[in-house]
């Protein structure tokens, strides 16, 4: 029987109905881009309030699209970690309420593990064992994955996530929100060598990342060293494109080089990549190139399953198969610490 999956960890309200074999019967996503674009970043309180308004209609839409009734469902799954506290709370409370009202068992999924599971969902054979790279708005992490639920955290960002850096650079250049797609579009017409931005920790033997120095370097390239005021700066489209291209090259160099090294060190044959930044065309191109050159297989989540969605919550099926259910005293785990 199918399951209902609910995702509300950040600023997308999403639900899906997934068949027991993993196929998607119906899904729905309500994005909040227009609510946050005036702030050029996700405002947690605004996100939580919007989830409250949207969650029931989104669940209803997913169920209708799947042509099932609540009676047909086997379980209700929800992403309970990591994420924004207020956002997580809305999904978890909705899942608990429906679990009681419909008398269905409750299952939790880790949102980051689900981002990686999107790769397994799109692959015909097993992707394990492999190295997993999650690149999202809140996280940049490497894992050694022996199975969908057997993930060992190897390292992650010690400051900003890759997606956060894309969003901040877009804000500095007064581009659209979310920043990733906007920066990527401009970068395609820019010179990747126009600026030699820092590739922090690229040669560090640990699997950690750092993108805050890169953000600062871009800021100084725009306003001048030590300056803060963007209001007096007016840049031509080509100058903006060169900044975006050079910034994107720095992020991608670090991500590809550290992921490639982890694959070699752990002697696995495969790299899987998920999260919003994995939708980036240049990153996808350079990862594919690295895989071809270094003789490993690459599985990148399909672009529509890179950014937040409830389909990747199909990971819950793996937990159900093991009999791992949650109880009604389930609480959220925002997971602000590293190592998640
Ligand atoms: O996984 P996601 O939807 O949400 C989190 O779990 O954080 O990732 C959102 C992030 C945002 O920072 C957004 O700018 C970035 O993914 N992103 C991209 C692209 N599309 C989305 N970054 C670079 N290039 C893209 N094409
Ligand atoms: Zn995400």
């Amino acid at each position: 029987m199918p399951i209902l999956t609910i995702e509300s960890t950040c600023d997308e309200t999403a639900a899906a109905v997934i068949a027991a074999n993993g196929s998607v019967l119906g899904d729905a996503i309500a994005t909040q881009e227009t609510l946050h674009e005036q702030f050029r970043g996700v405002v947690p309180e605004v996100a939580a309030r919007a989830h409250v308004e949207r969650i029931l209609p989104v669940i209803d839409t997913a169920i209708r699209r799947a042509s099932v009734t609540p009676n047909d469902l086997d379980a209700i799954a929800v992403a309970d970690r990591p994420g924004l506290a207020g956002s997580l709370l809305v999904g978890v409370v909705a899942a608990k309420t429906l679990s009681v009202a419909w008398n269905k068992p409750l299952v939790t999924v880790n949102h980051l593990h689900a981002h990686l599971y999107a790769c397994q969902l799109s692959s015909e054979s097993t992707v394990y064992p492999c190295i997993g790279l999650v690149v999202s708005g809140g996280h940049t992490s490497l894992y050694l994955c022996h199975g969908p639920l057997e993930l060992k955290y190897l390292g992650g960002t010690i400051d900003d996530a890759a997606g956060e850096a894309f969003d901040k650079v877009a804000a500095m250049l007064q581009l659209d929100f979310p920043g990733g797609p906007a920066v990527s579009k401009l970068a395609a017409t820019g010179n990747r060598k126009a600026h030699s931005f820092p590739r922090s920790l690229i040669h560090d033997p640990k699997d950690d990342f750092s993108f805050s120095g890169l953000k600062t370097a871009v800021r100084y390239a725009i306003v001048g060293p030590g300056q803060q005021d963007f209001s007096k700066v007016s840049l031509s489209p080509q100058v903006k494109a060169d900044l975006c291209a050079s910034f994107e090259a720095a992020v991608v160099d670090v991500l590809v080089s550290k992921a490639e090294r982890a694959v070699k060190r752990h002697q696995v044959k495969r790299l899987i990549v998920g999260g919003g930044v994995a939708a980036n065309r240049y990153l996808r191109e350079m990862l594919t190139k690295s895989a071809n050159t270094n003789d490993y297989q690459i599985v990148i989540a399909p672009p529509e399953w890179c950014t937040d969605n409830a389909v990747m919550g199909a990971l819950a099926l793996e937990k159900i198969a093991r009999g791992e259910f949650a109880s009604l005293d389930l609480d959220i785990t925002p997971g602000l610490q590293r190592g998640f």
Side-chain angles (χ1 to χ4, degrees):
M1 285 208 325
I3 62 167
L4 172 71
T5 58
I6 299 172
E7 154 63 42
S8 71
T9 58
C10 187
D11 63 339
E12 320 283 350
T13 321
V17 177
I18 316 277
N21 67 0
S23 62
V24 184
L25 301 181
D27 73 321
I29 304 185
T31 74
Q32 301 181 7
E33 279 168 19
T34 50
L35 296 179
H36 301 290
E37 68 185 349
Q38 58 178 310
F39 307 106
R40 295 185 194 275
V42 177
V43 181
E45 291 77 8
V46 173
R49 216 167 307 142
H51 282 306
V52 171
E53 286 164 7
R54 291 150 193 232
I55 195 135
L56 292 179
V58 162
I59 291 171
D60 196 46
T61 305
I63 288 179
R64 272 190 295 106
R65 285 185 180 156
S67 302
V68 297
T69 67
N71 242 346
D72 300 324
L73 299 172
D74 229 6
I76 296 175
V78 63
D80 70 330
R81 68 190 64 193
L84 300 173
S87 293
L88 286 167
L89 203 55
V90 179
V92 166
V93 169
K96 289 206 293 194
T97 308
L98 294 178
S99 158
V100 173
W102 295 344
N103 193 24
K104 305 288 174 186
L106 193 61
V107 192
T108 58
V109 294
N110 177 316
H111 175 75
L112 302 179
H113 300 179
H115 266 309
L116 290 177
Y117 196 64
C119 301
Q120 179 61 77
L121 280 177
S122 67
S123 179
E124 275 171 13
S125 50
T126 181
V127 298
Y128 309 100
C130 61
I131 292 293
L133 170 66
V134 177
V135 268
S136 71
H139 295 82
T140 308
S141 311
L142 277 169
Y143 299 87
L144 175 59
C145 313
H146 288 294
L149 298 168
E150 284 81 35
L151 294 94
K152 180 173 180 258
Y153 177 83
L154 299 174
T157 183
I158 56 172
D159 41 52
D160 299 316
E164 154 85 10
F166 269 96
D167 292 337
K168 287 287 150 34
V169 166
M172 290 181 221
L173 294 172
Q174 280 144 40
L175 306 178
D176 290 344
F177 173 83
V183 168
S184 164
K185 193 167 164 217
L186 254 189
T189 60
N191 174 2
R192 301 203 182 274
K193 296 201 170 114
H195 302 266
S196 58
F197 289 135
R199 271 94 168 136
S200 304
L201 302 183
I202 195 165
H203 299 301
D204 190 278
K206 290 207 225 102
D207 294 308
D208 290 333
F209 299 88
S210 163
F211 294 106
S212 85
L214 172 59
K215 245 171 44 179
T216 308
V218 175
R219 175 151 53 107
Y220 288 166
I222 299 172
V223 291
Q227 303 296 310
Q228 301 282 348
D229 191 1
F230 290 96
S231 63
K232 298 189 186 70
V233 179
S234 165
L235 304 175
S236 73
Q238 191 55 52
V239 169
K240 284 190 180 186
D242 289 349
L243 283 162
C244 288
S246 303
F247 159 78
E248 193 176 62
V251 176
V252 168
D253 263 5
V254 173
L255 293 175
V256 173
S257 135
K258 300 209 81 155
E260 179 186 301
R261 212 174 49 209
V263 167
K264 286 183 189 158
R265 180 155 26 91
H266 291 278
Q267 298 180 326
V268 291
K269 283 292 211 188
R270 204 167 294 111
L271 172 67
I272 64 174
V273 189
V277 181
N280 183 275
R281 275 177 52 190
Y282 185 60
L283 175 62
R284 297 175 83 91
E285 186 188 319
M286 297 313 278
L287 283 168
T288 307
K289 205 166 162 186
S290 160
N292 291 339
T293 311
N294 295 283
D295 196 26
Y296 64 88
Q297 197 198 338
I298 179 93
V299 182
I300 312 175
E304 68 275 19
W305 291 347
C306 284
T307 43
D308 288 347
N309 65 85
V311 170
M312 63 194 192
L315 176 61
L317 291 168
E318 305 280 351
K319 291 188 99 172
I320 293 171
R322 294 173 170 209
E324 286 180 22
F325 294 96
S327 71
L328 280 176
D329 51 24
L330 166 70
D331 201 357
I332 56 161
T333 305
L336 298 176
Q337 72 278 29
R338 290 181 66 231
F340 221 76

